[in-house]
mmCIF file with all atom_site columns, all heavy atoms in Angstrom:
data_model
loop_
_atom_site.group_PDB
_atom_site.id
_atom_site.type_symbol
_atom_site.label_atom_id
_atom_site.label_alt_id
_atom_site.label_comp_id
_atom_site.label_asym_id
_atom_site.label_entity_id
_atom_site.label_seq_id
_atom_site.pdbx_PDB_ins_code
_atom_site.Cartn_x
_atom_site.Cartn_y
_atom_site.Cartn_z
_atom_site.occupancy
_atom_site.B_iso_or_equiv
_atom_site.pdbx_formal_charge
_atom_site.auth_seq_id
_atom_site.auth_comp_id
_atom_site.auth_asym_id
_atom_site.auth_atom_id
_atom_site.pdbx_PDB_model_num
ATOM 1   N N   . GLY J 1 225 ? -8.082  47.487 4.973  1.00 98.00 ? 225 GLY J N   1
ATOM 2   C CA  . GLY J 1 225 ? -8.347  48.336 3.810  1.00 98.00 ? 225 GLY J CA  1
ATOM 3   C C   . GLY J 1 225 ? -9.835  48.453 3.539  1.00 98.00 ? 225 GLY J C   1
ATOM 4   O O   . GLY J 1 225 ? -10.358 49.533 3.226  1.00 98.00 ? 225 GLY J O   1
ATOM 5   N N   . MET J 1 226 ? -10.554 47.340 3.692  1.00 98.00 ? 226 MET J N   1
ATOM 6   C CA  . MET J 1 226 ? -12.001 47.361 3.456  1.00 98.00 ? 226 MET J CA  1
ATOM 7   C C   . MET J 1 226 ? -12.686 48.252 4.500  1.00 98.00 ? 226 MET J C   1
ATOM 8   O O   . MET J 1 226 ? -13.613 49.002 4.170  1.00 98.00 ? 226 MET J O   1
ATOM 9   C CB  . MET J 1 226 ? -12.572 45.946 3.526  1.00 98.00 ? 226 MET J CB  1
ATOM 10  C CG  . MET J 1 226 ? -14.062 45.877 3.221  1.00 98.00 ? 226 MET J CG  1
ATOM 11  S SD  . MET J 1 226 ? -14.636 44.170 3.049  1.00 98.00 ? 226 MET J SD  1
ATOM 12  C CE  . MET J 1 226 ? -16.275 44.463 2.378  1.00 98.00 ? 226 MET J CE  1
ATOM 13  N N   . GLY J 1 227 ? -12.208 48.191 5.730  1.00 98.00 ? 227 GLY J N   1
ATOM 14  C CA  . GLY J 1 227 ? -12.798 49.010 6.793  1.00 98.00 ? 227 GLY J CA  1
ATOM 15  C C   . GLY J 1 227 ? -12.628 50.496 6.517  1.00 98.00 ? 227 GLY J C   1
ATOM 16  O O   . GLY J 1 227 ? -13.583 51.282 6.624  1.00 98.00 ? 227 GLY J O   1
ATOM 17  N N   . VAL J 1 228 ? -11.418 50.878 6.116  1.00 98.00 ? 228 VAL J N   1
ATOM 18  C CA  . VAL J 1 228 ? -11.167 52.298 5.838  1.00 98.00 ? 228 VAL J CA  1
ATOM 19  C C   . VAL J 1 228 ? -12.009 52.743 4.634  1.00 98.00 ? 228 VAL J C   1
ATOM 20  O O   . VAL J 1 228 ? -12.635 53.816 4.650  1.00 98.00 ? 228 VAL J O   1
ATOM 21  C CB  . VAL J 1 228 ? -9.657  52.556 5.581  1.00 98.00 ? 228 VAL J CB  1
ATOM 22  C CG1 . VAL J 1 228 ? -9.415  53.988 5.144  1.00 98.00 ? 228 VAL J CG1 1
ATOM 23  C CG2 . VAL J 1 228 ? -8.851  52.232 6.836  1.00 98.00 ? 228 VAL J CG2 1
ATOM 24  N N   . ALA J 1 229 ? -12.059 51.898 3.608  1.00 98.00 ? 229 ALA J N   1
ATOM 25  C CA  . ALA J 1 229 ? -12.854 52.235 2.414  1.00 98.00 ? 229 ALA J CA  1
ATOM 26  C C   . ALA J 1 229 ? -14.332 52.384 2.784  1.00 98.00 ? 229 ALA J C   1
ATOM 27  O O   . ALA J 1 229 ? -15.021 53.280 2.272  1.00 98.00 ? 229 ALA J O   1
ATOM 28  C CB  . ALA J 1 229 ? -12.683 51.154 1.353  1.00 98.00 ? 229 ALA J CB  1
ATOM 29  N N   . ALA J 1 230 ? -14.811 51.529 3.698  1.00 98.00 ? 230 ALA J N   1
ATOM 30  C CA  . ALA J 1 230 ? -16.225 51.601 4.104  1.00 98.00 ? 230 ALA J CA  1
ATOM 31  C C   . ALA J 1 230 ? -16.496 52.917 4.833  1.00 98.00 ? 230 ALA J C   1
ATOM 32  O O   . ALA J 1 230 ? -17.521 53.574 4.595  1.00 98.00 ? 230 ALA J O   1
ATOM 33  C CB  . ALA J 1 230 ? -16.570 50.412 5.003  1.00 98.00 ? 230 ALA J CB  1
ATOM 34  N N   . ASP J 1 231 ? -15.570 53.310 5.709  1.00 98.00 ? 231 ASP J N   1
ATOM 35  C CA  . ASP J 1 231 ? -15.735 54.589 6.428  1.00 98.00 ? 231 ASP J CA  1
ATOM 36  C C   . ASP J 1 231 ? -15.809 55.763 5.447  1.00 98.00 ? 231 ASP J C   1
ATOM 37  O O   . ASP J 1 231 ? -16.664 56.639 5.556  1.00 98.00 ? 231 ASP J O   1
ATOM 38  C CB  . ASP J 1 231 ? -14.536 54.827 7.365  1.00 98.00 ? 231 ASP J CB  1
ATOM 39  C CG  . ASP J 1 231 ? -14.739 54.160 8.725  1.00 98.00 ? 231 ASP J CG  1
ATOM 40  O OD1 . ASP J 1 231 ? -15.897 53.910 9.102  1.00 98.00 ? 231 ASP J OD1 1
ATOM 41  O OD2 . ASP J 1 231 ? -13.717 53.898 9.407  1.00 98.00 ? 231 ASP J OD2 1
ATOM 42  N N   . ILE J 1 232 ? -14.876 55.760 4.475  1.00 98.00 ? 232 ILE J N   1
ATOM 43  C CA  . ILE J 1 232 ? -14.825 56.872 3.517  1.00 98.00 ? 232 ILE J CA  1
ATOM 44  C C   . ILE J 1 232 ? -16.088 56.876 2.643  1.00 98.00 ? 232 ILE J C   1
ATOM 45  O O   . ILE J 1 232 ? -16.712 57.914 2.423  1.00 98.00 ? 232 ILE J O   1
ATOM 46  C CB  . ILE J 1 232 ? -13.547 56.797 2.641  1.00 98.00 ? 232 ILE J CB  1
ATOM 47  C CG1 . ILE J 1 232 ? -12.305 56.939 3.524  1.00 98.00 ? 232 ILE J CG1 1
ATOM 48  C CG2 . ILE J 1 232 ? -13.568 57.857 1.549  1.00 98.00 ? 232 ILE J CG2 1
ATOM 49  C CD1 . ILE J 1 232 ? -10.983 56.677 2.816  1.00 98.00 ? 232 ILE J CD1 1
ATOM 50  N N   . ALA J 1 233 ? -16.474 55.691 2.172  1.00 98.00 ? 233 ALA J N   1
ATOM 51  C CA  . ALA J 1 233 ? -17.665 55.597 1.305  1.00 98.00 ? 233 ALA J CA  1
ATOM 52  C C   . ALA J 1 233 ? -18.897 56.117 2.044  1.00 98.00 ? 233 ALA J C   1
ATOM 53  O O   . ALA J 1 233 ? -19.723 56.843 1.480  1.00 98.00 ? 233 ALA J O   1
ATOM 54  C CB  . ALA J 1 233 ? -17.882 54.160 0.858  1.00 98.00 ? 233 ALA J CB  1
ATOM 55  N N   . ARG J 1 234 ? -19.013 55.753 3.323  1.00 98.00 ? 234 ARG J N   1
ATOM 56  C CA  . ARG J 1 234 ? -20.197 56.157 4.096  1.00 98.00 ? 234 ARG J CA  1
ATOM 57  C C   . ARG J 1 234 ? -20.214 57.672 4.283  1.00 98.00 ? 234 ARG J C   1
ATOM 58  O O   . ARG J 1 234 ? -21.239 58.324 4.136  1.00 98.00 ? 234 ARG J O   1
ATOM 59  C CB  . ARG J 1 234 ? -20.176 55.445 5.451  1.00 98.00 ? 234 ARG J CB  1
ATOM 60  C CG  . ARG J 1 234 ? -21.485 55.514 6.209  1.00 98.00 ? 234 ARG J CG  1
ATOM 61  C CD  . ARG J 1 234 ? -21.538 54.430 7.261  1.00 98.00 ? 234 ARG J CD  1
ATOM 62  N NE  . ARG J 1 234 ? -20.494 54.588 8.253  1.00 98.00 ? 234 ARG J NE  1
ATOM 63  C CZ  . ARG J 1 234 ? -20.657 55.235 9.411  1.00 98.00 ? 234 ARG J CZ  1
ATOM 64  N NH1 . ARG J 1 234 ? -21.817 55.768 9.708  1.00 98.00 ? 234 ARG J NH1 1
ATOM 65  N NH2 . ARG J 1 234 ? -19.660 55.335 10.268 1.00 98.00 ? 234 ARG J NH2 1
ATOM 66  N N   . ALA J 1 235 ? -19.033 58.226 4.576  1.00 98.00 ? 235 ALA J N   1
ATOM 67  C CA  . ALA J 1 235 ? -18.965 59.669 4.820  1.00 98.00 ? 235 ALA J CA  1
ATOM 68  C C   . ALA J 1 235 ? -19.268 60.471 3.550  1.00 98.00 ? 235 ALA J C   1
ATOM 69  O O   . ALA J 1 235 ? -19.869 61.544 3.609  1.00 98.00 ? 235 ALA J O   1
ATOM 70  C CB  . ALA J 1 235 ? -17.574 60.025 5.356  1.00 98.00 ? 235 ALA J CB  1
ATOM 71  N N   . LYS J 1 236 ? -18.856 59.935 2.396  1.00 98.00 ? 236 LYS J N   1
ATOM 72  C CA  . LYS J 1 236 ? -18.977 60.731 1.158  1.00 98.00 ? 236 LYS J CA  1
ATOM 73  C C   . LYS J 1 236 ? -20.208 60.387 0.328  1.00 98.00 ? 236 LYS J C   1
ATOM 74  O O   . LYS J 1 236 ? -20.442 61.017 -0.706 1.00 98.00 ? 236 LYS J O   1
ATOM 75  C CB  . LYS J 1 236 ? -17.741 60.473 0.278  1.00 98.00 ? 236 LYS J CB  1
ATOM 76  C CG  . LYS J 1 236 ? -16.466 61.050 0.830  1.00 98.00 ? 236 LYS J CG  1
ATOM 77  C CD  . LYS J 1 236 ? -15.394 61.001 -0.229 1.00 98.00 ? 236 LYS J CD  1
ATOM 78  C CE  . LYS J 1 236 ? -14.174 61.806 0.174  1.00 98.00 ? 236 LYS J CE  1
ATOM 79  N NZ  . LYS J 1 236 ? -13.056 61.612 -0.746 1.00 98.00 ? 236 LYS J NZ  1
ATOM 80  N N   . MET J 1 237 ? -20.955 59.358 0.737  1.00 98.00 ? 237 MET J N   1
ATOM 81  C CA  . MET J 1 237 ? -21.969 58.788 -0.151 1.00 98.00 ? 237 MET J CA  1
ATOM 82  C C   . MET J 1 237 ? -22.984 59.803 -0.687 1.00 98.00 ? 237 MET J C   1
ATOM 83  O O   . MET J 1 237 ? -23.225 59.872 -1.899 1.00 98.00 ? 237 MET J O   1
ATOM 84  C CB  . MET J 1 237 ? -22.701 57.651 0.551  1.00 98.00 ? 237 MET J CB  1
ATOM 85  C CG  . MET J 1 237 ? -23.552 56.830 -0.389 1.00 98.00 ? 237 MET J CG  1
ATOM 86  S SD  . MET J 1 237 ? -24.432 55.554 0.489  1.00 98.00 ? 237 MET J SD  1
ATOM 87  C CE  . MET J 1 237 ? -23.100 54.630 1.220  1.00 98.00 ? 237 MET J CE  1
ATOM 88  N N   . ALA J 1 238 ? -23.557 60.603 0.196  1.00 98.00 ? 238 ALA J N   1
ATOM 89  C CA  . ALA J 1 238 ? -24.636 61.495 -0.240 1.00 98.00 ? 238 ALA J CA  1
ATOM 90  C C   . ALA J 1 238 ? -24.111 62.502 -1.267 1.00 98.00 ? 238 ALA J C   1
ATOM 91  O O   . ALA J 1 238 ? -24.662 62.651 -2.368 1.00 98.00 ? 238 ALA J O   1
ATOM 92  C CB  . ALA J 1 238 ? -25.228 62.208 0.973  1.00 98.00 ? 238 ALA J CB  1
ATOM 93  N N   . GLU J 1 239 ? -22.994 63.145 -0.920 1.00 98.00 ? 239 GLU J N   1
ATOM 94  C CA  . GLU J 1 239 ? -22.445 64.190 -1.788 1.00 98.00 ? 239 GLU J CA  1
ATOM 95  C C   . GLU J 1 239 ? -21.922 63.599 -3.096 1.00 98.00 ? 239 GLU J C   1
ATOM 96  O O   . GLU J 1 239 ? -22.194 64.111 -4.188 1.00 98.00 ? 239 GLU J O   1
ATOM 97  C CB  . GLU J 1 239 ? -21.293 64.856 -1.026 1.00 98.00 ? 239 GLU J CB  1
ATOM 98  C CG  . GLU J 1 239 ? -20.863 66.181 -1.596 1.00 98.00 ? 239 GLU J CG  1
ATOM 99  C CD  . GLU J 1 239 ? -19.689 66.730 -0.800 1.00 98.00 ? 239 GLU J CD  1
ATOM 100 O OE1 . GLU J 1 239 ? -19.637 66.513 0.440  1.00 98.00 ? 239 GLU J OE1 1
ATOM 101 O OE2 . GLU J 1 239 ? -18.833 67.357 -1.416 1.00 98.00 ? 239 GLU J OE2 1
ATOM 102 N N   . GLU J 1 240 ? -21.200 62.487 -2.975 1.00 98.00 ? 240 GLU J N   1
ATOM 103 C CA  . GLU J 1 240 ? -20.611 61.862 -4.156 1.00 98.00 ? 240 GLU J CA  1
ATOM 104 C C   . GLU J 1 240 ? -21.697 61.278 -5.070 1.00 98.00 ? 240 GLU J C   1
ATOM 105 O O   . GLU J 1 240 ? -21.597 61.334 -6.292 1.00 98.00 ? 240 GLU J O   1
ATOM 106 C CB  . GLU J 1 240 ? -19.612 60.779 -3.697 1.00 98.00 ? 240 GLU J CB  1
ATOM 107 C CG  . GLU J 1 240 ? -18.837 60.095 -4.796 1.00 98.00 ? 240 GLU J CG  1
ATOM 108 C CD  . GLU J 1 240 ? -17.901 61.001 -5.591 1.00 98.00 ? 240 GLU J CD  1
ATOM 109 O OE1 . GLU J 1 240 ? -17.862 62.236 -5.349 1.00 98.00 ? 240 GLU J OE1 1
ATOM 110 O OE2 . GLU J 1 240 ? -17.229 60.471 -6.492 1.00 98.00 ? 240 GLU J OE2 1
#
Side-chain angles (χ1 to χ4, degrees):
M226 183 171 191
V228 174
D231 274 337
I232 297 171
R234 194 161 62 94
K236 290 192 169 172
M237 192 182 301
E239 196 182 325
E240 184 64 357

